[in-house]
Amino acid sequence: MAVITISRQVAALGDEIAKSLAEKLGYKFVDRKQIESKIVELGFPLSKLPKYDERKPGFFASLAKDRDEYLNYLQLAELDAAKDGNCILIGRASFIILDTIQNLVPIRFVANDSVRLERLKKEFNWTDKQAQGRINESDTNRKGFHKSFFNIDNEQSHHYLLTLNTALLDVTQSVQIIESLLKTYITPEKESAGKQRIQNLLKAQTLVNKLVFEHKLNINFLHADINLDGTVITLQGVADSHVAVEKAIQISAKICPSCEIKSAVSIVQEFKMYHQ
C-alpha cells in the first residue's frame, strides 16, 4: 500500500514503533543496518561510513569526493529498498530522498527532553549528564546531516504528513493512529503512481551511479532529475569543461535510449574538489 518513512529523535520510540507497525501491517522493515549493508555492497568503503552516516561531515570530509559518492549510494540503496512498496524505512533522510513518491507517508516521532532523558537513563543505566550528552550529540548530528546533504531543517513539521509526541502516546497507540491514517490517505491511484515514480527515480539514480563510478566523468555534485512520466532526464552538477558535459549526455543517451537527455550542468573553470 505505502512507503512509510520514519524520522525520530533519539529515545522517542521511533525504532520500537516502526518494528511494531511493520509486524501489524505485514510490511518490510528496512532498518539502519540494512541500509548501511546495501551502501557497502554497492561499493562505498565500510571504513568511511562513520564520517557521513547520519552525521554532519567534518570540514575536509565535506569537500571530498567521498561525500558525493556516499550520497549516490545512499539514494540508490533507499530507492531499491522502496521499489516494491509496503515497507518502512527509518532515518537516513528517507523522507526527503523519496519526497516525490505519491504513496509516501513520512512520519516523525518526538518527545520532550525530560522524557527522553529518563528513557536513556533507564535503558543504559546512565547518569543525567551521560543521557543529556547523548541527546545533544544525536540531535546535533541529525540536524547537521540533513543540513549538509540536503540543505533542510529536519525538525520542520512541514516535511512530514504526521508528527507524533511519544511523551503522550505509547507504542500501541501510535501504531493504531498510523494504521488508521493509511486507510484513508493511501488510495490505489496513489499506490500505482508511487510505484511508477520509484521506478523512474531508480532509473535516474542508476544512470548517475554509472556515469560516476563506471565512466568516472569529471562532474561534481552530479544529479539527474527525471520528469513525472519518466521521459526526460536533466543532468545537474558542476563541471570544469563542456567536453565532460557532452560526454555525459552521449553516454546517458545510450544508457537510457527511451529518454530525452538534457543538461543543466554549470561550467566553472578550474573547479576542483578536495581529494582524500
Side-chain angles (χ1 to χ4, degrees), residues 104 199 216 271:
L104 180 70
Q199 291 301 320
K216 302 186 184 304
F271 180 88

Side-chain angles (χ1 to χ4, degrees), residues 8-148:
R8 77 283 190 222
Q9 294 179 316
V10 67
L13 304 181
D15 295 77
E16 294 87 344
I17 295 169
K19 291 176 184 177
S20 181
L21 182 64
E23 292 176 2
K24 184 73 179 293
L25 298 175
Y27 275 27
K28 176 176 65 175
F29 177 51
V30 184
D31 63 13
R32 172 182 62 84
K33 290 184 178 180
Q34 289 173 275
I35 291 296
E36 288 178 353
S37 295
K38 184 65 176 180
I39 291 171
V40 173
E41 177 189 322
L42 288 169
F44 193 76
L46 176 62
S47 61
K48 294 181 178 179
L49 265 183
K51 294 181 181 179
Y52 302 99
D53 198 41
E54 209 158 51
R55 68 179 57 247
K56 179 181 179 180
F59 177 74
F60 288 111
S62 67
L63 298 177
K65 275 187 171 292
D66 291 339
R67 176 196 179 280
D68 280 1
E69 291 182 5
Y70 168 80
L71 181 57
N72 285 329
Y73 286 130
L74 172 64
Q75 292 178 136
L76 188 60
E78 293 198 345
L79 286 165
D80 183 70
K83 66 183 179 182
D84 296 323
N86 292 5
C87 63
I88 300 174
L89 289 83
I90 192 161
R92 274 74 193 159
S94 52
F95 70 93
I96 193 67
I97 291 173
L98 305 175
D99 184 50
T100 61
I101 296 171
Q102 292 88 337
N103 61 330
L104 180 70
V105 180
I107 300 171
R108 179 166 171 79
F109 298 103
V110 300
N112 57 49
D113 280 5
S114 62
V115 170
R116 294 197 287 156
L117 191 79
E118 292 304 317
R119 286 173 178 166
L120 288 172
K121 286 169 59 180
K122 181 178 180 180
E123 181 177 359
F124 297 104
N125 194 29
W126 282 347
T127 63
D128 282 358
K129 183 177 180 180
Q130 288 173 311
Q132 189 61 56
R134 174 66 179 123
I135 288 173
N136 295 342
E137 177 188 38
S138 177
D139 290 353
T140 299
N141 275 335
R142 288 174 181 175
K143 196 175 184 69
F145 171 79
H146 290 87
K147 183 66 176 178
S148 176

